[in-house]
Amino acid sequence: MISILDEDFSQLNEFLHRLQPTQLLILVDENTHEYCLPRLLGNLETEIPFEIIEIEAGEEMKTLETAAQLWEILTEFETDRKALMINLGGGVLTDLGGFIASTYKRGIPFINIPTTLLGMCDASIGGKTGIDHQFLKNIIGTFANPEQIFVFPKFLETLPFEELRSGFAEMLKHGLIIDEKHWNDLISIKNLTPQSVFPFIETSMKIKQKVVEQDFTEQNIRKTLNFGHTIGHALESLFLLQGKPIMHGEAVALGMICETRISMLHGLISEETSNTIISHLRQFFPDIDTKQFSVEEILSLMRNDKKNSHGTINFSLLTGIGNSAYNCSVDAEHINKSLHYYQNLP
Ligand code: NAD
Ligand code: ZN
């Protein structure tokens, strides 16, 4: 399912040789066109005809309009169900490309070649595809697995630092919820660079893969991956509504700090463990001023989150470093306390 590519992409060539698709549809955005496509094309050893489809970069492209354009392009190319879509890009591109592939003619096969750290360790794995609609993120989508995920960590060498750090938040999350050793490895990184994360990417991918294999449709254990995301998503949306977007990973780091504190308030971890985790999270992520938002605003967004049902807010919380629980119902008072705690950190 997950292959780490050698310099010559031999694993990809072998895969194409086995699958023998009728056509390759290579989806890129403007940045992956410039930074990643040349290496992919330079390494492809195949006679299969291919088309390159480029979209602009950015979350704004995850829309029904883009989807409609892409479906039209596939029709123009006379794409049949034995064609293969190759999604070469970050999470926006693999979400969108997976959605297009899984809906066109009721589904054509696709592979993901993630090019951001968030894409590698999170978005390309787990079969969630989708687009945003009417200001709601990922509100339309499918569950559809790629045939394979091919990872070439060196693609990260051209990625802006903030994007790298954003993906790093998800890696830290994987360590915290499931794997203490992974967490310890990651917090020992002194200087966050592509090279410093290379040795740990595969572990993070395997953690996510293993969780989603056990619970593809998110009925139980997959919910633990939402750690840091309940408060994180709400704050990410509020900053966006204010016209001052923050990175997803920054929001998740902030969410993980508050939710670690809530884990302590629930008696699931000691204050000492909570303080240790939080000080490590703060070593990588900048403090963000959240004072302008009221608890009511944050709560109302959390209630609307599609992952909650019937008005109760369910959290995934830590029960230790490398251990977590899901479906923990948390009341407004503890959420409030955790936000105050964050705002008053020295
Ligand atoms: P992204 O795809 O927008 O990539 C971030 C930026 O980096 C873009 O400007 C992109 O063009 C650029 N880029 C990509 N690769 C590059 C490279 N190698 N060198 C230089 N620039 C490069 O965003 P992302 O952070 O990768 O993903 C965010 C998206 O992922 C969101 O839409 C989110 O909803 C989705 N997501 C999905 C899942 C899932 O399970 N499906 C999980 C997490 C996130
Ligand atoms: Zn996330």
Side-chain angles (χ1 to χ4, degrees), residues 3 18 59 94 111 123 140 145 153 200 277 284 316 333:
S3 300
R18 273 199 314 276
E59 182 75 26
T94 52
I111 58 173
I140 298 172
N145 261 324
F200 310 115
I277 295 170
F284 293 106
S316 297
E333 192 203 332

Side-chain angles (χ1 to χ4, degrees), residues 148-211:
Q148 190 113 4
I149 303 161
F150 293 97
V151 183
F152 187 62
K154 280 193 186 165
F155 278 146
L156 300 179
E157 285 169 355
T158 54
L159 194 68
F161 174 74
E162 285 72 23
E163 299 285 354
L164 187 78
R165 189 172 58 185
S166 191
F168 191 64
E170 305 288 353
M171 297 179 83
L172 288 167
K173 178 193 76 180
H174 289 155
L176 278 177
I177 60 171
I178 284 183
D179 186 337
E180 185 175 11
K181 179 177 182 304
H182 191 49
W183 163 260
N184 286 332
D185 285 341
L186 295 174
I187 59 172
S188 63
I189 292 177
K190 294 283 168 284
N191 184 17
L192 189 60
T193 59
Q195 289 71 21
S196 68
V197 293
F198 284 168
F200 310 115
I201 292 175
E202 198 173 355
T203 306
S204 233
M205 296 187 77
K206 283 187 175 152
I207 290 174
K208 170 137 190 204
Q209 176 76 17
K210 200 171 160 204
V211 171

Side-chain angles (χ1 to χ4, degrees), residues 59 62 87 89-99 110-130 137-138 142 144-146 149 166-167 170-171 173-174 204-205 208-209 212 222 225 229 248:
E59 182 75 26
K62 259 177 72 174
N87 299 321
V92 165
L93 200 117
T94 52
D95 272 16
L96 180 65
F99 178 66
F110 67 99
I111 58 173
N112 288 336
I113 310 184
T115 60
T116 63
L117 189 58
L118 190 102
M120 291 175 189
C121 295
D122 193 356
S124 68
I125 311 166
K128 284 188 186 175
T129 82
K137 251 180 82 88
N138 303 324
T142 58
N145 261 324
I149 303 161
S166 191
E170 305 288 353
M171 297 179 83
K173 178 193 76 180
H174 289 155
S204 233
M205 296 187 77
K208 170 137 190 204
Q209 176 76 17
V212 298
R222 187 167 183 170
L225 294 168
H229 283 65
H248 176 69

Side-chain angles (χ1 to χ4, degrees), residues 241-261:
L241 286 170
Q242 273 203 342
K244 294 186 227 153
I246 60 172
M247 301 288 299
H248 176 69
E250 290 171 354
V252 171
L254 209 164
M256 288 197 287
I257 292 176
C258 293
E259 294 178 22
T260 298
R261 185 73 182 175

